[in-house]
Every structure is written in C-alpha cells, then in structure tokens.
Amino acid sequence: MSTCKLIIITGKVQNVGFRAYLEDIAKELGLSGYVKNVGTNTVESVVCGEKELIAQYISACKIGPKHAIVESVQVKDAKNDNYEGFSIWL
C-alpha cells in the first residue's frame, strides 16, 4: 500500500546539493514525488511509496549531503497526487 508524506527540512540545506541528493535517494528507493526550495534555508519534499522506503528517505533527509547542516525535519501526511517518478521542482 502506497502512502505519501510531506517533509519540511530546515537548516543549511540550500546551495549544498540537497535537492539532487534527495532526488538520487528517492530514485534509488523507487519513490515518487518532488523536492523544491521554499523560502530561506528550507527544502520541501513530497514523497510517495511504501512506508518502509519512505522511512529510509526520511532518515536520509536528517543526514543530508556532505556540506548540509540539517536543523529540523518535520513530517506530515500528504495527499497522493499520483506523481510520475521523482523530480526537482524549481
């Protein structure tokens, strides 16, 4: 059964390759959705798939790429908009 989560990540998460990092993780896990920058020092992602795989994605959000400094990760339920694949939204 597929589920979707809205994830808000704050900290030093812009200009460090965070969106590309999450895109790679999502594609490796076979998840669908998107990631985008919102405001200053905030990245938003909606991810859909199996709960266990989403849990792995959320764990990756808490770590981030090499130069990121993650301060907080908020997770909420999200509506499934039947995303095709995973992409970076500008």
Side-chain angles (χ1 to χ4, degrees), residues 9-69:
I9 306 116
T10 58
K12 184 181 176 189
V13 294
Q14 293 181 356
N15 299 313
V16 293
F18 211 98
R19 292 175 298 160
Y21 165 82
L22 289 182
E23 180 184 37
D24 289 345
I25 299 290
K27 288 182 176 182
E28 283 177 24
L29 295 171
L31 300 171
S32 61
Y34 69 86
V35 62
K36 68 178 182 176
N37 286 335
V38 289
T40 304
N41 300 322
T42 304
V43 168
E44 172 186 295
S45 180
V46 169
V47 65
C48 301
E50 299 298 320
K51 288 182 182 181
E52 299 81 15
L53 299 175
I54 290 175
Q56 291 179 46
Y57 181 86
I58 292 168
S59 292
C61 290
K62 294 176 181 177
I63 298 167
K66 184 177 181 179
H67 296 290
I69 300 170

